[in-house]
Amino acid sequence: METIDSIRAMHAWSERARAAGRRIGFVPTMGYLHTGHVSLVTEARRRRADLVVASIFVNPLQFGHNEDLDRYPRDLERDTRLLVEADTDVLYMPQASEMYPEGFQTAVTVEHVTRGLCGEKRPGHFRGVTTVVAKLFNAVRPHLAVFGEKDYQQLVAIRRMVRDLDFDIEVVGGPIVRESDGLAMSSRNAYLSPPERQAALCLSRALAASETAVREGERGGAAVLDRAYAVLNAEPRARIDYVALADPESLRPVDRIAGPTLLALAVWIGQTRLIDNTLLGRGAAWGEG
Ligand code: AMP
């Protein structure tokens, strides 16, 4: 695996790969990698990428003032090993000073789909995400980019940006990878103490409770949300940030399950904010919940 740390060198690599007719897959990350990230590299290969670039960049622009930018976990040695094992061709690690030099003043803002859910709770977050992803796209110039459904709103915002700004890139979503007990994998799980790690199971359990309600025929949004609230409220270490039902494409709020519906939640466990989601009302007889 080659490591590239300047925009100019990334451009040169990409130009060579394209001239050779190779299809470039791209997986952007903030590092401290886990099996969820690795699954996105595998997905890029499955989608016929000849070469896969993964980036690690802890993007200051997407963190609020009181958020965890300074303590975001890092382990480059382990990340490198995981990427090599996953057969990644290039690790792209741009420097913050080159990404945001003095005088930087341009941003990409996706309007409607970034307003609700996490957008309401983390002002400026998605503006930081779409801006950095646009810059990474311009540096890597991939044919295909893979994002996790774990950050569902992010995936929707990036799809919108790619369409609206005519990026010639196929955006692919990868399913949420979970620990064996149901906790969605996240770099931020590293912050959790053992009792908090146990308490964090309330997120996936809350989703499962709502899924069960839908599978049993419940269609009322409030009733479906109540099932999730009941699980979360029973966990003393949990503080709910939001629990919401939304249309999976527009992300507009919905109050009935009349077809595929996103159930998304954000919950504080101690000082750690965790997110999770599921798609309700899938399948012919909605048998999958
Ligand atoms: P991050 O490093 O948290 O910025 O995440 C980088 C990419 O990995 C994003 O597209 C995430 O949605 C994705 N990702 C993070 N956790 C998971 C997970 N548990 N399963 C699948 N994808 C994930």
Side-chain angles (χ1 to χ4, degrees):
M1 183 175 71
E2 186 178 346
T3 299
I4 294 179
D5 62 7
S6 79
I7 296 169
R8 180 196 283 264
M10 192 65 244
H11 276 156
W13 181 92
S14 177
E15 198 146 304
R16 281 197 306 275
R18 281 180 168 260
R22 315 303 292 282
R23 182 169 148 88
I24 304 170
F26 179 40
V27 177
T29 83
M30 297 204 299
Y32 210 74
L33 304 181
H34 50 66
T35 311
H37 296 111
V38 170
S39 76
L40 305 182
V41 173
T42 308
E43 183 63 19
R45 289 260 180 242
R46 214 177 62 80
R47 300 279 182 144
R48 295 178 296 99
D50 301 310
L51 297 167
V52 179
V53 178
S55 65
I56 296 181
F57 181 63
V58 182
N59 174 34
L61 223 55
Q62 72 190 65
F63 286 78
H65 288 307
N66 302 318
E67 293 184 356
D68 55 342
L69 173 62
D70 294 335
R71 64 182 186 119
Y72 198 81
R74 290 161 205 256
D75 187 343
L76 185 54
E77 210 171 295
R78 194 165 141 271
D79 289 352
T80 304
R81 180 163 50 74
L82 285 173
L83 290 175
V84 167
E85 281 169 15
D87 208 14
T88 311
D89 297 280
V90 171
L91 167 57
Y92 178 46
M93 294 216 312
Q95 303 300 307
S97 54
E98 199 191 8
M99 290 292 271
Y100 303 119
E102 217 176 289
F104 183 90
Q105 53 190 288
T106 302
V108 177
T109 305
V110 175
E111 299 282 354
H112 301 293
V113 296
T114 64
R115 286 204 183 136
L117 307 175
C118 287
E120 202 178 319
K121 302 292 178 175
R122 302 184 70 190
H125 169 69
F126 286 112
R127 187 172 189 263
V129 168
T130 43
T131 300
V132 80
V133 170
K135 285 173 66 72
L136 293 169
F137 281 176
N138 282 333
V140 175
R141 282 187 265 159
H143 297 85
L144 163 93
V146 191
F147 293 85
E149 288 170 357
K150 159 94 184 333
D151 300 87
Y152 193 93
Q153 190 172 17
Q154 167 174 288
L155 173 61
V156 171
I158 285 161
R159 280 194 203 285
R160 192 70 254 170
M161 174 186 83
V162 161
R163 251 181 254 144
D164 290 352
L165 298 185
D166 310 315
F167 281 97
D168 188 13
I169 298 172
E170 183 188 345
V171 176
V172 171
I176 300 177
V177 177
R178 298 178 179 281
E179 303 286 357
S180 55
D181 60 5
L183 179 68
M185 289 191 184
S186 164
S187 308
R188 290 189 166 102
N189 291 347
Y191 297 145
L192 302 171
S193 68
E196 287 174 342
R197 169 67 182 75
Q198 193 57 29
L201 290 176
C202 69
L203 279 85
S204 53
R205 287 184 181 151
L207 297 177
S210 291
E211 281 168 351
T212 302
V214 173
R215 205 175 308 120
E216 288 171 358
E218 184 59 69
R219 296 292 176 262
V224 170
L225 289 178
D226 276 349
R227 299 287 190 98
Y229 277 119
V231 174
L232 298 171
N233 288 330
E235 173 47 63
R237 290 177 193 271
R239 187 162 55 81
I240 298 171
D241 201 25
Y242 71 80
V243 184
L245 293 170
D247 178 275
E249 277 167 35
S250 68
L251 298 188
R252 280 194 213 102
V254 302
D255 54 17
R256 272 198 76 70
I257 317 293
T261 304
L262 177 71
L263 170 59
L265 47 81
V267 176
W268 288 92
I269 304 289
Q271 301 298 307
T272 305
R273 183 178 181 276
L274 300 176
I275 58 172
D276 202 348
N277 70 80
T278 189
L279 213 50
L280 302 171
R282 286 171 303 178
W286 297 8
E288 299 164 53

